[in-house]
Amino acid sequence: MNTIRSSLILIVLGCAVLIAVLVSVITGPVQVSIIDFLTGTLTDKTHYQILFDIRLPRAIAAALVGAGLACAGAAMQTLFRNDLADPYTLGTSAGGAVGVSLAIIAGMALLVPVAAFFGAIGSAFLVYILAAQNRRISTGNLLLTGIAVSMFFSSVVSVCLVFSGNNMHQIMFWLMGGLWNASWADIPLLLITLIPAGILILFSRDLNIMSCGEAETRTLGIDPEKTKILLLGVSAGITGLAVSVSGSIGFIGLVAPHIMRIITGPDHRILIPASLGCGALLLICADTVSRTWLGDLPVGIVTAFFGAPFFLMLIRRRSDL
């Protein structure tokens, strides 16, 4: 893909994300004039608080969570050479859920991001170790191991719920995935996910080579195992930080990279940043629809409505499963 077309795609995506944030902010049960918002001439104090204290941080949080999950999914699909890999199907989000549940039960709410971070990384490497046979990971092994680990961690979360006492509602809302409680205090944490996302972009050349196979990767002087472990840790870390704010939101990391791969092709120099934009756009739209027309249904349910059929379509396309 030539540089001009790549740049145009990224510019269009960036503009689409900005427009989506704007539409999300002015859309809702309380109607606000777009002109008053853009010119900063809002006179109603209640409208001002709704826009700048509730909707705007929520829209920005949706953009950053969606971007993080999408770029993590794009990297995982290449690392495992598997179209079905993403933070949700590989159990990474479930590992983060265990960490968050334990932190909430222990009464350490301030440590929720840290617990989600290490829970997600631990789960990702557990799936990697269990799925590997003679240092090779087959598609079937990876998917089945991810499902098994995810179910195991779901059982652990269920046990946590039983013993959570008064914290049950807090854990339940987190598990459903939503951005109800997103505030300006969450934005700095989510901005940190852009650092590991930048690392993935820096490794775009390595990801391009790894997508050709391990033999080609070794021939070009790259250790595939070391690179895979490093980038898997980076991807899982992004997932952990994102879900610590939003809860468990599935399928964004699966759908967004596939959409952009169709448009941009497999070159990760454009695919990773394009997936960032697409993931942000998808989650902003899903959250706006949920908040405005579905009674603030957990956005994780909305993403599952369009992600699950997409996932089944991918499975039907694969003849080796």
Side-chain angles (χ1 to χ4, degrees), residues 129-149:
I129 293 170
L130 294 177
Q133 292 182 345
N134 298 323
R135 304 189 72 179
R136 290 184 177 278
I137 299 178
S138 70
T139 298
N141 273 355
L142 179 69
L143 186 60
L144 293 175
T145 304
I147 292 173
V149 169

Side-chain angles (χ1 to χ4, degrees), residues 259-293:
I259 293 175
M260 296 319 303
R261 196 173 281 112
I262 293 171
I263 297 174
T264 68
D267 187 346
H268 290 78
R269 291 173 299 179
I270 177 71
L271 177 62
I272 296 290
S275 295
L276 279 165
C278 185
L281 186 61
L282 286 177
L283 195 54
I284 293 171
C285 293
D287 185 58
T288 303
V289 169
S290 163
R291 177 172 54 79
T292 307
W293 292 288

Side-chain angles (χ1 to χ4, degrees), residues 110-168:
L110 293 176
L111 294 181
V112 163
V114 177
F117 179 81
F118 285 106
I121 288 182
S123 176
F125 282 105
L126 181 62
V127 171
Y128 176 79
I129 293 170
L130 294 177
Q133 292 182 345
N134 298 323
R135 304 189 72 179
R136 290 184 177 278
I137 299 178
S138 70
T139 298
N141 273 355
L142 179 69
L143 186 60
L144 293 175
T145 304
I147 292 173
V149 169
S150 182
M151 292 179 68
F152 173 76
F153 283 142
S154 295
S155 300
V156 175
V157 171
S158 298
V159 173
C160 291
L161 280 171
V162 171
F163 294 101
S164 59
N166 294 331
N167 295 314
M168 178 179 287

Side-chain angles (χ1 to χ4, degrees), residues 72-83:
M76 287 181 174
Q77 287 163 15
T78 300
L79 291 174
F80 296 112
R81 301 184 67 197
N82 188 328
D83 292 344

